[in-house]
Amino acid sequence: MVPRLEVRNLRKSFGDSTVVRDLSLSLAKGEFLSLLGPSGCGKSTTLSMIAGFIAADAGEVLIDGKSVKDLPPQRRGVGLVFQDYAVFSRLTVADNLAFALEIKRVPRRERRRRVEDFANLLGLAGMLNRRGASLSMSEMQRVALARVLIGEPQILLLDEPMSNLDALLRANLRTELKQIQTGLGQSVLYVTHDQAEALSMSDRIAVMRDGELLQVGSPEEIYRRPCSRFVAEFIGDPPINLIQCEVHRDGVQLVASTVRHRGLLLGSGQADSGSYLLAVRPHDVAVSREPVAGSAPAVVRFIENFGAEHVLHIDYGGELIRATVAPGFADVEEIVHVSFGCGSVGLIDLGTERLIEVEPAEDRARVSRVQAQVGE
Amino acid sequence: MAGAAARATHSAGNHITERQDLMRERQLREAAIQEVGDEAVGPSCQRSGRYGAIARTIARRMPFEVALALPAQLTVLAVVLVPTLVVLWLSVTSWQPTQGIPWYKAEVVWLSNFVDLVQDADFVSAVLRTVFIVVLSAAVELFLAIGLALLFMEDWAWRRLAVSAIIIPMMIVPVDAANAFYMLFNDQGPLNYILSLLIGRTVQIDWLGDVHLALVPIILCEIWQWTPLMFLLMLTGLMNLPENQIRAAAVLGASPRRVFMRVILPLLMPVILLSLIVRSIEIFKLFDPVYIMTQGGPGNATETISMYMYHGAFMFFRMGYMAAAALMVLVVVITISAMLARPLMRH
């Protein structure tokens, strides 16, 4: 099937700095794809090139398999929601919504009906006669979204549409936006620097850095199997723990030693013996009050309270690592016992910063045997 | 100062004397500051003698911000309020300087000046003519300025140079500009010559001598000289528009024309109204080109309200009558401005 949107080897420089380098992407019909990356990584520039505001230095943008190189923004059939929403401040909400329909010469009655439909869909029914300039940020966001959706664009481009809203509103709108998108079957390219937004809404996430695409995959893949140190650190909240370790290969098995652990069995993976960074999500750090097989004692230095869960900052041989626990599990300066489960860690090559996947050990019996040896 | 002097003359032995000097000076200064209070800590409070005492008294009695505003306020009072009051007085008299009586002893005729003015065909037609010139020139200037400004929205080669070239007329002394137009539109002038070349037949239009044509060079001169100002206002207005609203309209499929009519123009309205007010008031006072080119003639075909008052006041010396005319014009100008300003306030 021809993808709704395809971007091939897109490249853009401003003066000496290359903002987007050889970016290739595709967006299937009805798919929600997030372009995720820190500020200044070229996401918005990419979006502007797709919308047609900036011409690319090289590469192609194809919509439904056809190059749109020579089409102005008016004729590309994309809908764009701007970061500042760009609601027409001098027009009423109703006129904002009807803008695209007026252009398409939709009859007046039909126009009014659809404006009302979309106003209801986005909860704007009570404010159709207010002027754009008098709206609050969240109202503007809804107007901007409705204004674009009403024109039934083939592709919806969203440029950090939540960054001007407060946290509570953002959480509500995430689900709402996802529901609307699924309901309408819209193809969405969503630009954001907020990994929570990307993880919660996307079918796929494309992680960008310095104008380059690092990894494309489902939220699960990106979270579970980040391809590099950057992606691993960028995704996940609280952030991933990176622990210096020495890896020793024992047959197919990899065994690691850190400052506090010796002979830590990781599983099988494509790594030689040597120095690596051990990548462990805070959720995968097992913490217990009593010593267990393969655990090492450590002191809790600091506790972040997130209500439903607490994040312990544990002194792990001079470095602080994070572990997620249930509230009230431990107090500051208390000694807890830390262990990392097999199959929930990754190794990061210190030279290439690539992530080496580690498969859980197949030989369960052997695992327990080795772990038993480790527990002193 | 005293410290520096002391330091300049001091030798190895009188180190202590110098320090005492400095201390005494500081004490004196602090005392002075305390005496004056918090508001005035300027150099005046260090001044000694009679003027110093006066300055201190003023500083004590007068809030600081009032003291700052006072010179400007007094100037305005002298050049605006006093003449206005004199005009108010003169407008109810029949004073003429040639009568040989001082203006404050003039004969009071109450409102008869105003009654006469309303029936004065010359006055009424001068006002109407001026309003016509204002509306026509301001409209043409606005139209041209918006068009030009739109051309300058996008970057192109020589853009900066072109902006500089466009605003040159604005910097020319109005009398010189009027003189240039006087020469251009002379019946033996270059304009007729060019027209002759184009048509292939000798053209000798007497632009400035024809009752029906004489306003043309005057209005053109005004438009030529002041479109640049309007252009600059429009250009800054356009440059400051929220760019994303324009982009949003484009992605929604709007043609450039629709983007302009539905988005740009409404956003630009405050700037347009403001510049119309400024220009209308300016054009209402139109004098230099008329004075240079036609003196209000032929007949009174180009007599603007300023020209009319100039004639009345400085050729026929009817000061009282012209004071009344000036007041009526003032009322007209204020009315027009208020009409334009009301929608501006809404924005």
Side-chain angles (χ1 to χ4, degrees):
Chain A
M1 199 164 73
V2 182
R4 177 112 291 176
L5 169 73
E6 200 178 352
V7 171
R8 284 187 195 152
N9 303 320
L10 214 56
R11 175 181 279 272
K12 180 77 197 173
S13 309
F14 294 111
D16 289 337
S17 64
T18 306
V19 189
V20 177
R21 318 163 190 264
D22 296 326
L23 185 104
S24 297
L25 260 188
S26 74
L27 174 73
K29 290 190 178 77
E31 188 185 22
F32 195 117
L33 175 69
S34 288
L35 207 51
L36 176 66
S39 324
C41 74
K43 334 180 273 284
S44 292
T45 310
T46 308
L47 213 60
S48 293
M49 284 190 280
I50 295 169
F53 296 126
I54 321 179
D57 294 343
E60 273 189 306
V61 175
L62 297 104
I63 292 173
D64 286 328
K66 288 193 250 347
S67 170
V68 292
K69 190 167 183 287
D70 301 321
L71 294 181
Q74 280 92 334
R75 300 188 42 217
R76 294 195 171 193
V78 299
L80 176 54
V81 174
F82 293 84
Q83 192 170 358
D84 63 359
Y85 310 133
V87 168
F88 303 135
S89 46
R90 308 280 316 134
L91 302 185
T92 62
V93 171
D95 284 345
N96 264 281
L97 262 56
F99 197 87
L101 302 180
E102 276 173 35
I103 294 160
K104 290 181 176 170
R105 299 186 193 283
V106 173
R108 188 178 293 272
R109 187 175 297 171
E110 164 79 2
R111 204 154 73 196
R112 189 175 309 149
R113 192 182 60 74
R114 275 168 68 183
V115 166
E116 278 170 12
D117 283 354
F118 277 86
N120 287 330
L121 182 70
L122 283 148
L124 294 167
M127 55 184 81
L128 283 176
N129 290 320
R130 282 173 58 191
R131 279 189 191 277
S134 71
L135 301 176
S136 74
M137 272 299 179
S138 70
E139 287 161 351
M140 281 193 199
Q141 199 237 21
R142 286 155 188 277
V143 171
L145 202 56
R147 181 179 70 183
V148 166
L149 287 173
I150 208 168
E152 293 168 354
Q154 291 170 310
I155 301 159
L156 183 57
L157 307 174
L158 298 163
D159 188 2
E160 310 226 2
M162 311 258 189
S163 58
N164 286 321
L165 305 177
D166 58 59
L168 180 68
L169 218 49
R170 238 186 267 189
N172 289 335
L173 277 167
R174 281 206 296 258
T175 38
E176 228 174 289
L177 183 62
K178 181 66 187 168
Q179 274 170 356
I180 291 170
Q181 182 258 335
T182 326
L184 296 173
Q186 266 291 340
S187 318
V188 172
L189 183 61
Y190 188 96
V191 163
T192 182
H193 64 264
D194 182 341
Q195 44 113 8
E197 282 172 20
L199 288 172
S200 61
M201 292 190 284
S202 318
D203 297 318
R204 282 192 306 149
I205 298 175
V207 185
M208 258 184 103
R209 180 205 193 181
D210 296 338
E212 258 172 313
L213 207 57
L214 298 180
Q215 188 177 8
V216 185
S218 69
E220 180 66 18
E221 272 169 29
I222 298 275
Y223 183 77
R224 276 291 150 210
R225 293 198 294 279
C227 71
S228 68
R229 175 177 181 167
F230 176 81
V231 179
E233 284 188 292
F234 195 70
I235 305 281
D237 183 30
I240 199 162
N241 298 304
L242 298 177
I243 303 158
Q244 285 277 352
C245 69
E246 290 295 323
V247 170
H248 170 69
R249 179 175 271 283
D250 174 17
V252 288
Q253 302 293 340
L254 298 174
V255 182
S257 303
T258 68
V259 267
R260 303 305 307 272
H261 279 97
R262 239 159 234 300
L264 197 63
L265 188 73
L266 303 177
S268 60
Q270 303 280 318
D272 299 324
S273 301
S275 291
Y276 292 89
L277 282 176
L278 194 63
V280 194
R281 297 264 174 220
H283 284 94
D284 296 327
V285 177
V287 185
S288 58
R289 302 183 68 92
E290 302 300 327
V292 295
S295 73
V299 181
V300 177
R301 291 287 182 218
F302 182 69
I303 298 174
E304 274 182 285
N305 187 345
F306 289 104
E309 58 180 30
H310 285 183
V311 174
L312 306 181
H313 291 239
I314 300 166
D315 191 337
Y316 187 82
E319 238 180 302
L320 287 181
I321 62 167
R322 295 183 179 85
T324 313
V325 295
F329 181 83
D331 277 327
V332 176
E333 300 304 328
E334 202 176 312
I335 291 173
V336 291
H337 300 270
V338 182
S339 57
F340 311 124
C342 176
S344 55
V345 296
L347 287 175
I348 291 167
D349 188 301
L350 285 173
T352 62
E353 303 222 316
R354 304 293 297 173
L355 191 117
I356 298 153
E357 282 180 43
V358 180
E359 296 296 323
E362 281 145 28
D363 184 359
R364 279 279 147 198
R366 199 177 157 198
V367 172
S368 51
R369 199 167 63 242
V370 173
Q371 278 183 344
Q373 283 171 3
V374 168
E376 285 142 26
Chain B
M1 279 301 168
R7 203 174 302 137
T9 53
H10 107 273
S11 55
N14 51 16
H15 192 73
I16 296 163
T17 337
E18 190 209 2
R19 208 200 277 158
Q20 278 174 344
D21 269 4
L22 277 171
M23 274 172 68
R24 199 170 52 207
E25 194 195 9
R26 196 196 293 160
Q27 275 170 0
L28 277 173
R29 201 180 293 154
E30 276 166 6
I33 289 166
Q34 256 167 10
E35 194 183 334
V36 174
D38 292 339
E39 288 132 348
V41 195
S44 67
C45 51
Q46 284 166 40
R47 221 182 283 150
S48 55
R50 200 150 55 90
Y51 293 109
I54 292 171
R56 274 197 293 278
T57 314
I58 291 174
R60 208 178 300 132
R61 300 256 164 96
M62 189 186 291
F64 187 54
E65 54 273 27
V66 173
L68 278 182
L70 202 62
Q73 292 295 329
L74 286 175
T75 314
V76 170
L77 207 68
V79 301
V80 176
L81 188 65
V82 173
T84 308
L85 290 177
V86 173
V87 165
L88 266 175
W89 157 251
L90 285 180
S91 71
V92 293
T93 70
S94 63
W95 187 65
Q96 297 191 6
T98 45
Q99 287 169 337
I101 45 170
W103 61 272
Y104 45 86
K105 285 183 184 167
E107 185 197 353
V108 178
V109 295
W110 298 111
L111 295 180
S112 73
N113 278 338
F114 294 94
V115 176
D116 290 350
L117 272 171
V118 178
Q119 291 162 347
D120 182 344
D122 285 350
F123 173 73
V124 173
S125 66
V127 170
L128 292 178
R129 194 176 295 116
T130 311
V131 170
F132 170 73
I133 297 173
V134 168
V135 172
L136 186 69
S137 316
V140 174
E141 282 174 26
L142 180 71
F143 190 74
L144 288 175
I146 292 182
L148 278 171
L150 285 174
L151 284 181
F152 280 80
M153 278 279 275
E154 273 163 45
D155 213 0
W156 35 276
W158 307 99
R159 180 174 173 272
R160 282 155 175 269
L161 195 71
V163 171
S164 312
I166 283 185
I167 62 173
I168 285 176
M170 209 170 79
M171 303 176 188
I172 292 172
V173 181
V175 173
D176 290 345
N179 244 324
F181 271 74
Y182 177 74
M183 306 292 234
L184 273 176
F185 281 89
N186 192 295
D187 57 353
Q188 303 292 327
L191 186 76
N192 279 344
Y193 178 72
I194 292 169
L195 285 176
S196 307
L197 285 182
L198 285 175
I199 297 174
R201 201 147 53 85
T202 316
V203 178
Q204 267 196 332
I205 304 169
D206 188 7
W207 294 97
L208 295 164
D210 190 313
V211 180
H212 302 290
L213 293 176
L215 268 182
V216 172
I218 289 170
I219 292 177
L220 280 180
C221 178
E222 193 64 10
I223 292 173
W224 176 80
Q225 190 160 30
W226 295 110
T227 299
L229 177 70
M230 209 72 146
F231 161 72
L232 278 187
L233 289 170
M234 292 304 135
L235 189 62
T236 37
L238 282 176
M239 293 301 216
N240 286 318
L241 291 190
E243 193 186 15
N244 276 352
Q245 286 191 32
I246 297 165
R247 284 175 154 196
V251 211
L252 286 170
S255 61
R257 208 183 77 95
R258 185 182 290 268
V259 174
F260 179 75
M261 297 304 287
R262 290 286 277 169
V263 181
I264 296 181
L265 209 53
L267 284 171
L268 204 59
M269 222 46 189
V271 182
I272 291 177
L273 286 173
L274 189 75
S275 55
L276 278 181
I277 292 176
V278 172
R279 280 304 295 145
S280 299
I281 294 172
E282 270 305 300
I283 304 170
F284 213 94
K285 298 186 289 192
L286 187 70
F287 183 78
D288 313 33
V290 185
Y291 183 79
I292 298 290
M293 285 193 246
T294 62
Q295 296 262 336
N300 56 7
T302 59
E303 198 171 62
T304 60
I305 194 65
S306 305
M307 203 65 222
Y308 170 83
M309 286 192 283
Y310 171 81
H311 284 151
F314 300 113
M315 289 174 79
F316 305 114
F317 300 111
R318 303 173 66 190
M319 289 296 183
Y321 191 63
M322 287 306 142
L327 276 181
M328 287 186 72
V329 169
L330 184 67
V331 171
V332 171
V333 171
I334 290 176
T335 313
I336 294 177
S337 308
M339 269 160 48
L340 284 167
R342 191 178 298 169
L344 185 67
M345 293 306 172
R346 259 193 288 129
H347 282 277

